[in-house]
Amino acid sequence: MTLNQLGVGRKATVKKVYSESAERRRMLDLGILPGTVVETVMSSPLGDPVAYRIRSAVVALRREQAELIEVQENFTADEMESRG
Amino acid sequence: MSVYVETATAAKECGACPSTSCNTAHLTRLGIKMDDWDYVVALAGNPNTGKSTLFNAWTGLRQHVGNWNGKTVTRAEGALRYNDRKFKLVDLPGTYSLLSMSVHEEVARDFVLFGRPDVTVVVVDANRLERGLHLVLQTLEITDRVVVCLNLIDEARRNNLKIDERALARDLGVPVVPTAVRHGEGLPELLRVVDEMAQGRYPTRPHRLNYRDAALEAAVAQLAGQLEGMFPGLPNARWVALRLLENDESIIRAVREGTLGDLQRPDAFPELMQLEAR
Amino acid sequence: MAANVEQLLETAARLRRETGDDLHGRITEAIYTDAGEIADRAVSRDETTPGGIHLDQFFDRVLTSRLWGFPLMVLMLMVVFWLTIAGANVPSAMLAQLLQGTVYDALHNAAQAVGAPWWLSGFLIDGVYLATAWVISVMLPPMAIFFPLFTLLEDLGYLPRVAFNLDRLFKRSGAHGKQSLTMMMGYGCNAAGVVSTRIIDSPRERLIAIITNNFSICNGRWPTLILIGTIFIGATAPPMLASFIAASSVVAVAILGIIFTLLVSAFLSRTWLKGEASSFSLELPPYRPPRIWQTIYTSIIDRTLIVLKRAVIMAAPAGAVVWLISNVYVGGDSVANHLIQWLDPVGLALGLNGVILLAYVVAIPANEIVVPTILMLTLNAAKSSLAQTGVMIELEDDAQIYQVLTQMGGWTFLTGMNLMLFSLLHNPCSTTIMTIWQETRSVKWTTVASLLPIGIGVVVCLLTATVARLLF
Ligand SMILES: Nc1nc2c(ncn2[C@@H]2O[C@H](COP(=O)(O)OP(=O)(O)OP(=O)(O)O)[C@@H](O)[C@H]2O)c(=O)[nH]1
Ligand SMILES: [Mg+2]
């Protein structure tokens, strides 16, 4: 899944960053790297952009940016169990 | 961390005054009076970490501060006297990295790289430490004379964060001073450390990045060697070499136009505004 | 040397190919790995007591919520202007009474006592002094309230939330989300707003932000809007609601400015400044309790007084010019009257009048002096016809200003409304134009940024005037 699909309050681990050139640099500088844990904090009134917690900072990204960040959702032990 | 040596004058002057104001007793805020100076101190750091607040506290000027990223977009300069030494303080726009390239971030990068500050204070938000360290580690690639100002420690306490600044200082190899600039906490200590660092009395062992890549290391070494031959006295050839490898257009342009050398002159920033005289 | 350089760059290019791609990614990863390890060793979290993050999150949920985000932004603006208008009312009147009444009379008496010639006392007192006095009484009280309030919101951390809320609209317009931050800086001063566009990385989006910054009403224009909104719009409502209605009218103009920002941005990004949207990342810092007293102190010292100083410096020569053109006679009438009559047809077609247009010409250096210039020109024009009657006209409160404008200047509700619109939609002041040139180094874009707003202003005023004439 990509970051924009991560629900509010959910956490995920970054797998790959597909952004390119200047945008890629910006994302990397913010600390969005493979292995980084991110959390969706809230979405703006019109649904886009969405704010994520990244390395303790809250950073808003537009859908176009979030779509290029592949993540894997983190589940707690309980959730894993209930999913079977 | 090494042990500080109290200067004799400091001890004498300190005798009578109450403990907290003791160290600030020999700080004189000089505002924009900067005809001459002994040392240049740059204030760098991530956006919104309190650089301008610190600048104001030490110079008595009123650079605008605001609770959002990107409040400062131009370089501002002010002065202070500490004991008998005059310092020129340079407030820089916030930046996430020395690798990025928006206009205001370039201002910060160029000054740290080529402005030859005697001390670079990197202001770090204690609540967002990793990101601050990202910039500290980059700065340490350029210069050894770094002091880390671990700011917003009051908010860190509220967030129940405990930060072992001694461990930090040991790992980074440069001094780390916890502060709450807005409340004046830690400022005397910070100034003392900056002063010692400026005089070269503070031994540092800066953390060296491990790029974990032999081919890269070799390439950097080769280019840096060539650069040093072409621009004698270039203070950070390794870093410029890395930028060339990364195809950084502004650095390539500077090399082509021969302005890489010019950038070393502190007055080579015509487009930047000084803080208005008030 | 040049050959050397090319050789160096070639070596760099070769080595770049050899070291493989995404060098930047690998380096950044290496740095963050080290940073992470160091941070982990240094930081420990005390999990036993809850942190302060929850209150922040609560505020954010409300201030950026689907339901409340936009209404709260408007409400916030309303509160700021209501406090400004209601709070400035009394001090403004007191200042006017002091400066235009007591001090003005005293100066004239003193001039008479020392036997100064009429032209000298006229030039200095009715020209230079009066313009300066008016600028102070019109600007000082509202700015001394507005700036601290705005700075409090800024220190609290509300501005990035506004940018967060509005970004979707800016994206639709092909503009950068941080443009709204530069827009809000423009609410203080457009020149500062233009410089603040440096936070936008992409040159295309930055240029859009620069060109549209003039749609942010600056400190020189708020007092005009507040005064006209109070006497022409607020005054139509029952006294209880007057300041609320006046505040609404000012907020409406500010929102209109945002709408024009979006429309013009959309136009530019679809025509002359076409291009890809650049990446957007906006950090939302924690809310921080503002330091109230310090904020009030610094925003009065730094902002209000600096702004006022500039206004006074601009007003003094403007006052001199106005007095001169009102008192130099050519062919039986003053130069000012000739100009006013010449400009009147155009002015009236725009729902304004010749006096207003002339005032805007005199006020090119600074918007601050529009209102004093209008009042002085109106009074002087009236005086020449009332000269023999020896009536002393005093302008010490809003009601008197209203009377002078309507009875002597022939103003109507339409004039007031269109002046508010024109105040929003006209050329930037000379300082801002210079700053735009410094930041863009382009004659073309400086010209566009200077003429586009006034072009729009003329069209809009023409439209409202025509509609008004058809309806009434
Ligand atoms: N609680 C607390 N707030 C602080 C402290 N230092 C600064 N602040 C606040 O942090 C915010 C940012 O301060 P600035 O000095 O403008 O930060 P800056 O680093 O210059 O920011 P940029 O110019 O955007 O890079 C302001 O609201 C300050 O009041 C501190 O020690 N404690
Ligand atoms: Mg700053």
Side-chain angles (χ1 to χ4, degrees):
Chain A
M1 74 194 273
T2 51
L3 185 54
N4 59 305
Q5 295 164 332
L6 188 68
V8 170
R10 305 299 310 178
K11 289 184 183 172
T13 307
V14 175
K15 289 285 142 204
K16 196 162 166 56
V17 181
Y18 290 97
S19 345
E20 279 174 359
S21 61
E23 177 175 330
R24 182 178 183 81
R25 287 176 184 231
R26 178 63 75 207
M27 295 302 126
L28 297 176
D29 284 343
L30 286 170
I32 305 177
L33 293 159
T36 308
V37 175
V38 294
E39 177 191 348
T40 305
V41 179
M42 64 194 171
S43 99
S44 63
L46 300 174
D48 183 31
V50 172
Y52 305 95
R53 192 181 317 282
I54 300 163
R55 298 189 193 252
S56 314
V58 180
V59 181
L61 300 177
R62 280 182 182 171
R63 190 192 171 86
E64 284 77 358
Q65 272 81 63
E67 267 172 349
L68 293 175
I69 298 167
E70 189 184 312
V71 298
Q72 186 168 45
E73 189 162 353
N74 298 355
F75 294 102
T76 61
D78 288 356
E79 285 167 346
M80 292 298 264
E81 216 163 274
S82 66
R83 288 175 131 230
Chain B
M1 260 175 38
S2 73
V3 184
Y4 309 118
V5 187
E6 277 282 354
T7 56
T9 52
K12 236 185 290 162
E13 280 174 27
C14 258
C17 59
S19 62
T20 46
S21 64
C22 161
N23 277 312
T24 48
H26 26 248
L27 158 67
T28 318
R29 300 175 178 86
L30 296 177
I32 53 160
K33 283 186 234 104
M34 285 178 291
D35 355 307
D36 56 359
W37 57 83
D38 303 309
Y39 302 108
V40 176
V41 177
L43 298 181
N46 289 161
N48 208 31
T49 51
K51 297 177 294 299
S52 301
T53 311
L54 176 59
F55 177 85
N56 291 348
W58 275 353
T59 60
L61 291 171
R62 288 186 300 272
Q63 168 83 323
H64 286 186
V65 300
N67 189 11
W68 53 284
N69 294 19
K71 178 75 195 180
T72 309
V73 289
T74 56
R75 188 170 63 142
E77 302 184 347
L80 66 120
R81 191 204 317 271
Y82 182 65
N83 294 336
D84 304 324
R85 291 169 287 281
K86 281 174 101 176
F87 291 83
K88 180 165 98 170
L89 205 58
V90 183
D91 184 24
L92 296 170
T95 174
Y96 288 116
S97 150
L98 296 173
L99 311 168
S100 283
M101 26 214 203
S102 56
V103 181
H104 69 294
E105 287 184 329
E106 231 167 68
V107 172
R109 185 197 71 180
D110 285 350
F111 192 83
V112 173
L113 265 177
F114 305 114
R116 296 203 172 206
D118 295 292
V119 181
T120 303
V121 176
V122 183
V123 184
V124 168
D125 179 348
N127 305 276
R128 279 158 270 276
L129 192 57
E130 265 175 298
R131 222 175 52 187
L133 291 181
H134 176 237
L135 185 66
V136 173
L137 292 175
Q138 290 182 37
T139 313
L140 286 176
E141 288 288 284
I142 296 169
T143 163
D144 298 355
R145 296 223 180 155
V146 172
V147 174
V148 175
C149 165
L150 188 64
N151 194 31
L152 295 148
I153 203 81
D154 54 326
E155 280 184 4
R157 278 194 289 263
R158 261 207 308 286
N159 292 333
N160 298 316
L161 293 176
K162 279 215 185 66
I163 299 171
D164 181 353
E165 72 267 9
R166 290 154 130 240
L168 260 186
R170 201 172 48 236
D171 279 344
L172 294 172
V174 291
V176 175
V177 183
T179 61
V181 171
R182 178 165 150 165
H183 307 289
E185 192 183 328
L187 287 187
E189 169 77 354
L190 182 64
L191 188 53
R192 200 179 60 187
V193 175
V194 167
D195 179 46
E196 287 190 9
M197 182 69 81
Q199 297 179 64
R201 300 210 331 246
Y202 211 118
T204 55
R205 273 181 303 100
H207 177 96
R208 284 282 162 247
L209 279 173
N210 177 3
Y211 290 120
R212 301 170 171 90
D213 191 333
L216 178 57
E217 280 294 339
V220 168
Q222 185 182 345
L223 275 181
Q226 282 195 25
L227 274 164
E228 271 162 355
M230 287 171 61
F231 301 93
L234 189 70
N236 26 55
R238 268 181 68 87
W239 185 257
V240 175
L242 205 55
R243 309 306 310 131
L244 288 180
L245 279 179
E246 275 199 49
N247 214 2
D248 181 326
E249 276 164 31
S250 64
I251 295 285
I252 290 179
R253 206 181 320 122
V255 171
R256 267 222 174 88
E257 294 169 356
T259 48
L260 206 51
D262 287 355
L263 281 172
Q264 295 168 40
R265 284 207 327 271
D267 56 6
F269 302 89
E271 80 282 14
L272 304 179
M273 294 193 288
Q274 288 210 342
L275 190 66
E276 274 178 64
R278 283 175 183 158
Chain C
M1 183 75 186
N4 265 343
V5 166
E6 291 313 314
Q7 200 188 336
L8 174 80
L9 294 179
E10 260 166 46
T11 315
R14 179 172 54 78
L15 290 171
R16 190 178 310 134
R17 284 191 299 275
E18 286 171 14
T19 48
D21 44 86
D22 195 24
L23 191 58
H24 183 89
R26 277 150 56 202
I27 296 173
T28 310
E29 228 168 295
I31 304 176
Y32 259 116
T33 309
D34 279 14
E37 284 170 5
I38 296 175
D40 276 349
R41 277 197 291 272
V43 183
S44 53
R45 184 184 281 278
D46 175 6
E47 300 284 3
T48 49
T49 37
I53 294 173
H54 304 284
L55 198 62
D56 260 47
Q57 259 179 15
F58 169 76
F59 272 123
D60 265 341
R61 291 267 153 81
V62 177
L63 290 175
T64 68
S65 80
R66 190 172 289 258
L67 193 61
W68 294 107
F70 282 89
L72 282 175
M73 276 193 294
V74 177
L75 187 72
M76 212 78 87
L77 262 182
M78 277 297 299
V79 169
V80 166
F81 284 108
W82 181 78
L83 286 173
T84 305
I85 289 172
N89 208 347
V90 174
S92 267
M94 275 163 52
L95 265 178
Q97 210 160 40
L98 176 73
L99 296 177
Q100 277 112 261
T102 320
V103 176
Y104 176 83
D105 293 346
L107 285 174
H108 261 302
N109 289 341
Q112 232 161 22
V114 301
W118 72 271
W119 53 266
L120 186 63
S121 61
F123 179 81
L124 289 179
I125 301 171
D126 294 320
V128 174
Y129 170 76
L130 203 55
T132 313
W134 249 317
V135 156
I136 295 175
S137 58
V138 169
M139 286 196 64
L140 180 58
M143 292 300 97
I145 300 175
F146 174 77
F147 277 141
L149 287 178
F150 195 80
T151 312
L152 285 179
L153 286 181
E154 183 178 351
D155 283 354
L156 193 67
Y158 186 56
L159 303 197
R161 271 72 188 184
V162 172
F164 182 57
N165 287 348
L166 290 180
D167 177 61
R168 184 69 207 280
L169 301 175
F170 279 90
K171 181 169 147 186
R172 276 269 190 82
S173 308
H176 199 273
K178 285 185 185 167
Q179 187 173 324
S180 44
L181 288 170
T182 68
M183 188 178 88
M184 288 182 274
M185 289 301 101
Y187 286 157
C189 163
N190 293 130
V194 167
V195 176
S196 75
T197 60
R198 291 178 177 208
I199 56 173
I200 298 173
D201 299 2
S202 128
R204 179 187 76 87
E205 289 161 341
R206 187 167 169 225
L207 206 47
I208 293 178
I210 289 178
I211 294 171
T212 54
N213 196 270
N214 193 46
F215 297 121
S216 298
I217 297 152
C218 66
N219 62 60
R221 297 185 268 168
W222 290 120
T224 311
L225 291 179
I226 289 173
L227 179 70
I228 303 298
T230 304
I231 63 179
F232 278 92
I233 296 176
T236 59
M240 280 265 301
L241 291 175
S243 50
F244 174 75
I245 298 292
S248 310
S249 72
V250 176
V251 170
V253 176
I255 291 176
L256 199 64
I258 299 178
I259 293 173
F260 271 107
T261 301
L262 292 168
L263 289 177
V264 172
S265 300
F267 168 76
L268 289 171
S269 66
R270 281 166 181 74
T271 54
W272 303 327
L273 290 170
K274 252 187 229 160
E276 292 283 300
S278 73
S279 83
F280 168 80
S281 62
L282 172 80
E283 200 170 331
L284 303 176
Y287 291 99
R288 296 195 162 120
R291 284 176 301 176
I292 311 246
W293 290 114
Q294 175 139 5
T295 302
I296 291 176
Y297 173 79
T298 49
S299 47
I300 286 183
I301 299 292
D302 277 1
R303 298 240 213 151
T304 312
L305 291 188
I306 284 180
V307 160
L308 193 68
K309 188 172 126 202
R310 174 183 127 102
V312 167
I313 291 172
M314 298 291 187
V321 168
V322 171
W323 188 86
L324 279 178
I325 59 174
S326 302
N327 286 280
V328 172
Y329 281 69
V330 177
D333 209 347
S334 69
V335 174
N337 278 355
H338 282 300
L339 288 170
I340 291 167
Q341 274 153 27
W342 183 64
L343 287 169
D344 241 357
V346 185
L348 291 174
L350 295 176
L352 303 165
N353 58 40
V355 169
I356 296 176
L357 292 190
L358 183 56
Y360 269 98
V361 174
V362 175
I364 286 177
N367 284 294
E368 289 85 339
I369 54 187
V370 166
V371 167
T373 311
I374 288 175
L375 292 177
M376 289 172 70
L377 285 172
T378 308
L379 275 183
N380 280 324
K383 251 186 217 154
S384 57
S385 56
L386 294 172
Q388 285 78 14
T389 63
V391 189
M392 185 61 217
I393 311 148
E394 299 211 335
L395 276 187
E396 289 168 11
D397 63 31
D398 290 353
Q400 285 168 336
I401 294 179
Y402 180 76
Q403 260 181 357
V404 166
L405 289 178
T406 49
Q407 286 168 17
M408 296 178 182
W411 288 39
T412 61
F413 181 82
L414 176 70
T415 323
M417 189 181 85
N418 273 14
L419 175 56
M420 289 179 85
L421 290 173
F422 197 70
S423 173
L424 170 69
L425 304 167
H426 72 279
N427 53 288
C429 72
S430 56
T431 312
T432 305
I433 296 177
M434 276 302 297
T435 309
I436 294 174
W437 187 78
Q438 274 166 5
E439 293 290 314
T440 61
R441 296 276 156 190
S442 150
V443 177
K444 177 182 156 198
W445 292 116
T446 309
T447 314
V448 170
S450 308
L451 296 185
L452 194 75
I454 191 163
I456 295 175
V458 167
V459 172
V460 168
C461 287
L462 203 59
L463 230 85
T464 51
T466 312
V467 170
R469 262 194 288 278
L470 289 178
L471 288 181
F472 306 109

